[in-house]
Amino acid sequence: VHVSPTAGSAAGGAALTLHGDRLRPASGTDDLAARVGTFAPVAVRPGAATGSTEIVTPARVAGFADVATGRSLSDYASILDGAFAYREPFAVSSASPSAVAAAGGARVTLFGRTGSLPEDGEWGGRLGLVVVGTRSNQAVVVAPPKPGGGFYELTIPDAWEVSTNGVGRSSAVLARLPQLEHRTRASVASVSPGLAAPGGSGSLLDVVGANFHREEISVRLGEFSSSAPGTPTAQVVSSTLLRVEACGNHHHDTRAPAEVASAADAESDGNSWSSDGVLVAFHRLPSTLGASPVTGGEGGGTLVRVTGSDFRDSGAKLLCAFGSVVVSAAGYSSTNRVDCVSPARAPDGGRDAPLAVSVNGRDFSGPTTDAGFPVTFSYGARVEVYGLAPDHGPSLGGTLVTVRGANFVPAAWEPGREFAFSCRFGAKVAPALGGSGALTASSASCRSPPHAAGFVAVEVSAGGGNFSSFGVVFEYQASASAEVLFPPVGLASGGTLVTVVGSNFIASQQHAGYGHGMVAQPGSGSGSGSGSG
């Protein structure tokens, strides 16, 4: 006599077939019965095969039980020692991972509180579940697909009530497993900035897309993934935006696709990764080597030429930072030069602002040059203009004008050191004169350039083109012209009163000299003057 199956649930209810001789009831009044362990009698019914009969196993504690048949209490002689094994059913406590790609194919480990699973695979095939490995209280299954995404509640027949060909018996009890979430594959629409630093230097990237899950998220740039040990994890801002540091040791001037997976075990679940073809370029960060000028007014407006390396014409992403204040670059000249206009000094900033450049809108050059020297821009107090001496001159220009004011030079400026100070007469700019004492914190000297007769505002600049705006006026006067002298002759000893007739004679402070340095006095009209000679 032998039985099949040889094991079943401790809860009982398994259909157990006994094969052997004279196991069918001889008639309707036959008292053939069976015994399973200490439970007797157990009713029998004809089996499907000749010479077989079936019983339904009673409930019993886990362990091995003897199986016997007979027609009376004294007739149970055909005892099968330990023929049937009562097993605890496989009760699942958790699954890992709990979320997989909707395409299926991921391996999921089921952890059971009790029981175990048979080692022959495909036992769950009729329910779309394939067992690929088992061990004590664990089973590894292949997740089925669920194209629309969402939750999938797996059910499997009690492991010990499944025949060897994988088809569950009618008495099988279905065991419910934890819900397995099938997630629609993430997609990537864009990455900003699209340019990052190579060598794993940590450029911060904003990834825009869809189906990002806060619980499990991984970002892969080429062959490098954010889920690798020691790599900063991605931060999910929303289901359509995540932020991650550029990972991996990428080379300069290379590109890598940006891919996202919303699965716990993304490295082994190839179906969970997006594949939208969005690329991230890797280029060296720029380096700043110097700037000119390095000083300007605290109100901003100074045009600064920044020199360095690895500058790129990246449009709106090309930025200049003056300390904590960031502005768009004024212009791109070459990979070695960028023009920036200084902003107003930050209220909480110092006089010296570190100067840096970004080509991707986020990562800036370091605070020092390659040689370790800081590149800074120094803010001076606002340049002020109080007065001019003289405040007028001929339209031909050339008048030496002393400008009085305050804060003409930076506090740290040393006399004799080159300094780009200039005066502006209307729209015409004239450099300040050099020489000892020509430029101080409160005065500067400039020669007036030629200009049409009239009044113009004179402003000054302490470098870089940011001129003052005080509106102090300088008068350009038309050049005087003498046409007639009367009398035309006089005594050699002098003393002759001469009247000069001409044009553009100004009564105020304008004098004419002739002969031996005698000075004429203004006459009664704007076109005449008189003097003795």
Side-chain angles (χ1 to χ4, degrees), residues 81-482:
D81 187 21
F84 188 79
Y86 276 94
R87 307 285 190 182
E88 289 287 349
F90 186 67
V92 180
S93 60
S94 62
S96 179
S98 60
V100 297
R107 296 193 173 200
V108 180
T109 300
L110 306 176
F111 298 92
R113 294 190 302 271
T114 59
S116 57
L117 294 176
E119 295 182 358
D120 52 334
E122 298 293 342
W123 54 267
R126 71 188 182 95
L127 297 174
L129 196 65
V130 178
V131 177
V132 294
T134 62
R135 61 180 180 176
S136 178
N137 289 354
Q138 288 187 25
V140 180
V141 300
V142 177
K146 189 174 178 61
F151 288 91
Y152 193 112
E153 188 173 83
L154 300 174
T155 56
I156 61 172
D158 188 297
W160 301 104
E161 296 172 3
V162 180
S163 62
T164 55
N165 65 2
V167 180
R169 295 178 181 271
S170 58
S171 60
V173 177
L174 296 181
R176 293 198 177 276
L177 305 183
Q179 285 186 331
L180 186 64
E181 183 183 3
H182 284 63
R183 293 176 175 171
T184 304
R185 187 163 62 174
S187 62
V188 176
S190 64
V191 177
S192 179
L195 186 152
S201 59
S203 296
L204 193 61
L205 307 178
D206 288 337
V207 182
V208 177
N211 301 318
F212 300 155
H213 291 262
R214 193 175 300 275
E215 291 79 10
E216 293 101 7
I217 196 74
S218 297
V219 179
R220 186 167 64 186
L221 299 176
E223 60 183 300
F224 302 101
S225 171
S226 65
S227 60
T231 304
T233 57
Q235 175 191 1
V236 179
V237 180
S238 69
S239 62
T240 60
L241 173 64
L242 62 87
R243 186 163 291 147
V244 65
E245 285 189 22
C247 53
N249 190 21
H250 299 272
H251 296 291
H252 173 60
D253 275 341
T254 60
R255 293 188 176 190
E259 301 168 318
V260 176
S262 291
D265 192 16
E267 294 304 313
S268 61
D269 187 2
N271 290 326
S272 63
W273 291 97
S274 62
S275 57
D276 302 287
V278 178
L279 299 177
V280 176
F282 293 89
H283 298 285
R284 285 188 294 265
L285 291 179
S287 298
T288 51
L289 302 178
S292 178
V294 293
T295 60
E298 62 183 4
T302 302
L303 180 63
V304 182
R305 294 179 296 277
V306 182
T307 56
S309 61
D310 295 309
F311 296 153
R312 303 177 68 86
D313 188 7
S314 51
K317 301 289 185 180
L318 183 60
L319 303 177
C320 304
F322 291 76
S324 61
V325 183
V326 178
V327 295
S328 297
Y332 169 84
S333 297
S334 69
T335 58
N336 303 113
R337 175 183 160 184
V338 169
D339 294 335
C340 309
V341 175
S342 66
R345 181 172 68 91
D348 57 345
R351 292 292 180 184
D352 296 328
L355 186 57
V357 174
S358 172
V359 296
N360 65 2
R362 182 162 290 172
D363 300 312
F364 285 85
S365 55
T368 61
T369 66
D370 295 338
F373 298 106
V375 178
T376 59
F377 180 83
S378 298
Y379 282 99
R382 186 179 67 159
V383 175
E384 299 178 356
V385 178
Y386 301 150
L388 308 174
D391 60 1
H392 62 276
S395 60
L396 294 177
T399 303
L400 182 61
V401 180
T402 298
V403 184
R404 306 285 183 184
N407 305 317
F408 284 2
V409 296
W413 179 72
E414 300 175 359
R417 179 182 171 187
E418 183 180 354
F419 185 68
F421 191 94
S422 57
C423 305
R424 187 179 66 190
F425 291 74
K428 295 185 177 182
V429 177
L433 299 182
S436 177
L439 177 62
T440 67
S442 59
S443 68
S445 297
C446 302
R447 288 197 179 276
S448 62
H451 196 282
F455 293 90
V456 297
V458 176
E459 307 293 353
V460 296
S461 170
N466 56 325
F467 284 89
S468 60
S469 57
F470 279 78
V472 177
V473 172
F474 180 83
E475 181 186 6
Y476 274 99
Q477 300 171 343
S479 299
S481 175

